[in-house]
Amino acid sequence: MVVPINIPVTTDTKLFNNAKPVVRNTNVVLKKKVRPVVSSERRACLILSLITFTAMCVFATVLYFNPFSYEPWYKTATLYQVDVKTFQDSDGDGIGDLKGLISKVDYLERQNIKALILSSFYKSENDGIIDHKDVCYTCGVMDDFRELIKQLKKRGIRLIIDFYPNHTSDKHPWFEASIKGLKSYDGYYVWSYSVSDDERKPPNNWVKIYHFVI
């Protein structure tokens, strides 16, 4: 069955004149950005790969530069030992002294010396130390020793001194205190009775001999 549809038709020219034509721009194409979908498993693998690569780079750098290694300075430094009495004389008495050594500090620096070792220069008598806190009068005075430390420190040179606590002069304060029987010094020396009470003889036949090689 066909149902007729009545379409109204107008002849009013004003209606046609006021109507706005519909223009379709066929050149404009709307595009929607589509983001790629990354699964959580793939993202986790990517992060794990980056972490592994970074860790390998850090480990390789540590192995190459080895910043955590430590080696004592004295294993690679140049050490120079000096006998003050035979090194440099400053006052013309024929015996080396601390002032003469101070005058040669620049020479030690030019030789790239990193540490200076001083043989015994303590106040002594017949090779027996009288005072570990004082300087032998032929070498100078304590102010000379302090000046030596100051000059070496300016140049980055370490100072090592020999210390002999195992033998002293009979004029050393330790010996004098021990011979008096002071309890705090009774272990500083080994005491033995003489062979005979009638006459004082050494407790043994040990002989003290000095042998100098020139």
Side-chain angles (χ1 to χ4, degrees):
M1 180 178 180
V2 179
V3 178
I5 300 175
N6 296 324
I7 300 176
V9 178
T10 179
T11 57
D12 189 356
T13 57
K14 293 182 179 181
L15 180 62
F16 288 100
N17 292 334
N18 295 331
K20 295 182 179 180
V22 178
V23 179
R24 177 178 294 179
N25 189 354
T26 58
N27 297 326
V28 178
V29 179
L30 297 179
K31 294 183 179 180
K32 184 179 181 181
K33 293 183 179 180
V34 180
R35 294 183 179 180
V37 179
V38 180
S39 63
S40 58
E41 292 82 2
R42 181 174 295 181
R43 185 181 294 107
C45 291
L46 179 61
I47 295 175
L48 183 61
S49 300
L50 291 175
I51 293 175
T52 304
F53 178 75
T54 304
M56 292 177 63
C57 292
V58 172
F59 183 70
T61 304
V62 170
L63 288 180
Y64 182 78
F65 293 102
N66 200 10
F68 303 106
S69 64
Y70 172 76
E71 189 173 13
W73 63 269
Y74 53 82
K75 286 192 174 183
T76 57
T78 303
L79 282 67
Y80 192 87
Q81 185 168 8
V82 168
D83 184 356
V84 179
K85 297 179 181 180
T86 61
F87 185 69
Q88 181 68 34
D89 179 22
S90 67
D91 54 10
D93 63 354
I95 302 176
D97 46 47
L98 291 173
K99 288 184 178 180
L101 178 56
I102 293 172
S103 67
K104 293 295 183 179
V105 171
D106 289 334
Y107 165 78
L108 299 177
E109 183 182 18
R110 290 195 299 270
Q111 300 303 315
N112 197 29
I113 302 301
K114 298 303 181 182
L116 178 66
I117 305 175
L118 287 188
S119 298
S120 179
F121 61 96
Y122 306 104
K123 184 179 180 180
S124 59
E125 181 183 60
N126 297 327
D127 198 43
I129 298 175
I130 298 176
D131 190 354
H132 286 93
K133 299 179 181 179
D134 201 357
V135 177
C136 180
Y137 72 94
T138 59
C139 296
V141 295
M142 282 300 298
D143 287 339
D144 298 334
F145 181 65
R146 295 187 183 96
E147 181 64 21
L148 174 64
I149 296 175
K150 180 180 178 181
Q151 295 301 324
L152 292 175
K153 189 174 182 180
K154 283 183 178 180
R155 294 161 177 81
I157 301 176
R158 300 172 185 264
L159 178 62
I160 303 173
I161 59 176
D162 283 342
F163 179 63
Y164 308 102
N166 61 332
H167 62 278
T168 66
S169 167
D170 56 0
K171 296 180 181 179
H172 196 286
W174 297 348
F175 187 88
E176 293 177 348
S178 181
I179 201 172
K180 291 178 181 178
L182 297 181
K183 189 174 182 180
S184 56
Y185 292 91
D186 58 358
Y188 277 45
Y189 301 87
V190 178
W191 295 95
S192 299
Y193 293 101
S194 60
V195 177
S196 174
D197 294 336
D198 298 332
E199 53 181 331
R200 300 187 61 182
K201 293 182 179 180
N204 52 54
N205 60 352
W206 296 354
V207 180
K208 182 178 181 181
I209 299 176
Y210 286 96
H211 181 66
F212 296 95
V213 178
I214 300 177

